[in-house]
Amino acid sequence: STVDVESALIALNNGTLTLAGALLKDTNGTLEGEDEFLRMKSGSTLKSTGTGALVQLSGTTVDFDAALSMTDSTMTLSGPLASVTSVKGADTVSGSSTPLFKLDASTLTSTGTGALLSFTSTDATPDGNFFRLQNTSKVELAGPLFSGTGGKLGSGTASNVRAFISVLDSSTVKSTGTSALISMTDVTFDAQGPLFNVRRSKSTSLPSKVTLDCSLFSGKNTTINTTSLGFGSTFGTSAKDCCSTF
């Protein structure tokens, strides 16, 4: 099956959506759109009491500007956000500096103990961040944030340094789980920027912050390269080597 839309595939604008299961499941189909896969804004809320992933894709071909964009919105889950296996097109979803997953002044909570995002045999190398929190956004989890098995992962370009996961503007991430917040197995990770960074606090009293009951990262049979010469062109300074992994 093929679904081709001229805007976001699923959009909530000051809307409320309550589910007892998945929002979307697809196997071997094609999903295309001019904007985001899922867009929430203007006080929208989405709640699912199902313990399976909100979005489940297997063998799907996707073509969107971004996977998730949340602005001034709230998502509450009892399970993962997305489980993707052998998905094609996720490596080119972000054709600019747009993050693949972005929270802007938004909150995402999951009480599930599995990874919020699980990528298996799927390449994901957006030109922007893979996952970005900004403007005092919050992510609160009972398990990991990301699990990747197989495939190629990364972020940024040679002229656009971007961390794979970035926590900015006094945003916060908290996990009470015991497994690593980020795990990669049999992955080739090559980013034009750090794998994970936390910065740009609005004040010393309101810092960008990560609070964990677990380790930050676990890797097995994984190659990591965060070398880039793009710092100068990104930040308007002289060229120099970067970037640290964390």
Side-chain angles (χ1 to χ4, degrees), residues 192-206:
Q192 299 283 339
L195 190 154
F196 188 92
N197 75 358
V198 184
R199 64 183 184 89
R200 215 165 72 183
S201 300
K202 291 189 173 184
S203 68
T204 56
S205 61
L206 189 64

Side-chain angles (χ1 to χ4, degrees), residues 20-236:
L23 174 65
L24 186 147
K25 296 182 181 180
D26 180 81
T27 300
N28 299 328
T30 299
L31 304 174
E32 300 177 343
E34 298 296 326
D35 296 323
E36 304 93 335
F37 184 97
L38 172 59
R39 180 173 66 218
M40 300 173 60
K41 65 180 184 178
S42 303
S44 293
T45 61
L46 189 157
K47 179 179 180 179
S48 175
T49 57
T51 55
L54 185 72
V55 175
Q56 303 172 32
L57 305 178
S58 179
T60 306
T61 298
V62 296
D63 185 6
F64 293 94
D65 284 348
L68 171 68
S69 175
M70 294 176 62
T71 304
D72 189 27
S73 296
T74 301
M75 183 183 296
T76 305
L77 305 175
S78 297
L81 170 58
S83 174
V84 301
T85 301
S86 301
V87 168
K88 297 173 284 294
D91 56 330
T92 56
V93 167
S94 188
S96 63
S97 60
T98 303
L100 195 58
F101 296 87
K102 183 183 74 173
L103 275 68
D104 186 349
S106 296
T107 298
L108 192 161
T109 303
S110 174
T111 57
T113 56
L116 184 73
L117 298 169
S118 176
F119 278 51
T120 302
S121 301
T122 300
D123 295 344
T125 56
D127 291 351
N129 305 112
F130 175 85
F131 194 94
R132 179 185 179 99
L133 282 73
Q134 62 189 47
N135 293 326
T136 62
S137 292
K138 296 181 180 180
V139 170
E140 298 186 355
L141 307 172
L145 172 61
F146 176 80
S147 172
T149 303
K152 297 178 180 180
L153 301 172
S155 56
T157 68
S159 59
N160 181 42
V161 171
R162 290 290 183 270
F164 187 68
I165 297 174
S166 200
V167 182
L168 306 171
D169 309 328
S170 301
S171 296
T172 60
V173 174
K174 180 179 180 180
S175 174
T176 57
T178 56
S179 298
L181 187 73
I182 305 162
S183 66
M184 296 181 185
T185 302
D186 299 321
V187 167
T188 298
F189 182 86
D190 192 351
Q192 299 283 339
L195 190 154
F196 188 92
N197 75 358
V198 184
R199 64 183 184 89
R200 215 165 72 183
S201 300
K202 291 189 173 184
S203 68
T204 56
S205 61
L206 189 64
S208 301
K209 186 177 181 181
V210 176
T211 305
L212 305 175
D213 288 346
C214 57
S215 57
L216 174 62
F217 177 81
S218 172
K220 181 178 180 181
N221 298 330
T222 292
T223 300
I224 296 175
N225 179 16
T226 58
T227 303
S228 176
L229 294 175
F231 186 90
S233 58
T234 302
F235 296 101

Side-chain angles (χ1 to χ4, degrees), residues 2-20:
T2 299
V3 177
D4 189 349
V5 298
E6 295 185 357
S7 184
L9 179 65
I10 302 167
L12 294 176
N13 185 357
N14 193 28
T16 300
L17 179 61
T18 302
L19 306 167

